[in-house]
């Protein structure tokens, strides 16, 4: 096992530079999704009291909407309805947690890979196993970015539907003739849109970096190159 020797030259090469970009992109991926909090509001009026009252349902990561109950103004009985017993529709925690958890694992792997690149450069390039393991992980990560981001993008579309104007049609109290409901507003989900963009960006980065990792493996490099160097010989010139 060679000792740690700091060498920043790999960061100037595509292999290390793209890994830094992957590390940064993974941070944006899980931060924009995992840190989201929002709310949706409806305006409710009764025939007995025409003044609009705001009913609010608060939701956020991991988007278990079926646990987000509606809350009337404190101390106010709106149309005699127990609003807290009514919730949003849907549970999208599996897609959201899969996406965020995978992004966190990618973040940690990028740190470990960068440490290997800049601290144990010779060990990485003289080894046959380390580049191959790096290559396999890169291919798997590319595929999982595609799967997790696609699943999260579909879940986000459903979340927008479940928290949008359709809630007025779905809420049982709003179907009562004496209760008048109007959709109020919902928190902008721009950061969640950004998380999907960064998910596909990560997939592109990892897919592109697969070539540069492949070049470090024995699949690409001639098998006799390392042997000739270890014996002090000079590899024969290649013809054109």
């Amino acid at each position: 096992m060679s000792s740690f020797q700091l060498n920043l030259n790999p960061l100037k090469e595509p292999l290390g530079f793209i890994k830094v970009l992957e590390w940064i992109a993974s941070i944006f991926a899980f931060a924009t999704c995992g840190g989201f909090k929002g709310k949706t509001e409806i305006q409710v009026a009764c025939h007995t009291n025409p003044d609009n009252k705001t009913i609010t349902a608060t939701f956020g990561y991991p988007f278990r909407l079926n646990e987000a109950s509606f809350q009337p103004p404190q101390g106010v009985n709106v149309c005699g309805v127990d609003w807290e017993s009514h919730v949003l529709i849907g549970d999208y925690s599996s897609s959201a947690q899969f996406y965020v958890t995978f992004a966190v694992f990618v973040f940690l792997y990028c740190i470990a890979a960068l440490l290997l690149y800049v601290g144990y450069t010779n060990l990485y390039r003289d080894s046959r196993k380390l580049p191959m393991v790096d290559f396999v992980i890169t291919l798997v990560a590319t595929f999982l970015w595609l799967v997790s981001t696609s699943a999260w993008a579909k879940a986000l579309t459903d979340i927008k539907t479940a928290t949008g104007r359709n809630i007025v049609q779905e809420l049982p109290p709003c179907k009562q003739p004496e209760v008048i409901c109007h959709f109020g507003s919902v928190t902008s989900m721009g950061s969640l849109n950004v998380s999907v963009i960064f998910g596909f960006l990560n997939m592109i980065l990892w897919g592109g970096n697969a070539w540069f990792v492949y070049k470090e493996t024995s699949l690409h490099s001639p098998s006799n190159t390392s042997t000739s160097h270890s014996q002090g010989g000079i590899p024969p010139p290649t013809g054109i």
Side-chain angles (χ1 to χ4, degrees), residues 127-146:
S127 172
R128 294 172 61 89
K129 292 183 179 180
L130 290 178
M132 185 61 67
V133 171
D134 195 14
F135 178 59
V136 172
I137 292 177
T138 300
L139 293 180
V140 173
T142 302
F143 174 73
L144 290 180
W145 272 121
L146 174 62

Side-chain angles (χ1 to χ4, degrees), residues 191-203:
S191 65
L192 299 182
N193 294 332
V194 171
S195 70
V196 173
I197 293 173
F198 270 100
F200 286 114
L201 175 62
N202 271 289
M203 182 196 69

Side-chain angles (χ1 to χ4, degrees), residues 24-43:
I24 296 174
S26 66
I27 296 175
F28 280 97
F30 68 74
T32 51
C33 178
F36 180 84
K37 289 184 179 297
K39 63 181 180 179
T40 184
E41 298 178 344
I42 59 174
Q43 302 294 324

Side-chain angles (χ1 to χ4, degrees), residues 177-210:
E178 65 274 12
V179 179
I180 304 172
C181 299
H182 298 284
F183 177 75
S185 62
V186 63
T187 303
S188 172
M189 300 186 189
S191 65
L192 299 182
N193 294 332
V194 171
S195 70
V196 173
I197 293 173
F198 270 100
F200 286 114
L201 175 62
N202 271 289
M203 182 196 69
I204 295 173
L205 286 173
W206 282 82
N209 197 33

Side-chain angles (χ1 to χ4, degrees), residues 40-80:
T40 184
E41 298 178 344
I42 59 174
Q43 302 294 324
V44 179
C46 317
H47 287 301
T48 57
N49 185 5
D51 294 335
N52 286 333
K53 301 296 182 182
T54 301
I55 309 297
T56 304
T58 303
F59 60 96
Y61 178 83
F63 303 101
R64 294 188 178 95
L65 300 187
N66 54 359
E67 297 181 2
S69 61
F70 287 88
Q71 301 292 329
Q74 187 173 4
V76 178
N77 185 357
V78 181
C79 301

Side-chain angles (χ1 to χ4, degrees), residues 166-178:
N166 289 341
I167 60 176
V168 174
Q169 303 173 5
E170 300 293 338
L171 272 176
C174 294
K175 298 178 182 180
Q176 300 177 11
E178 65 274 12

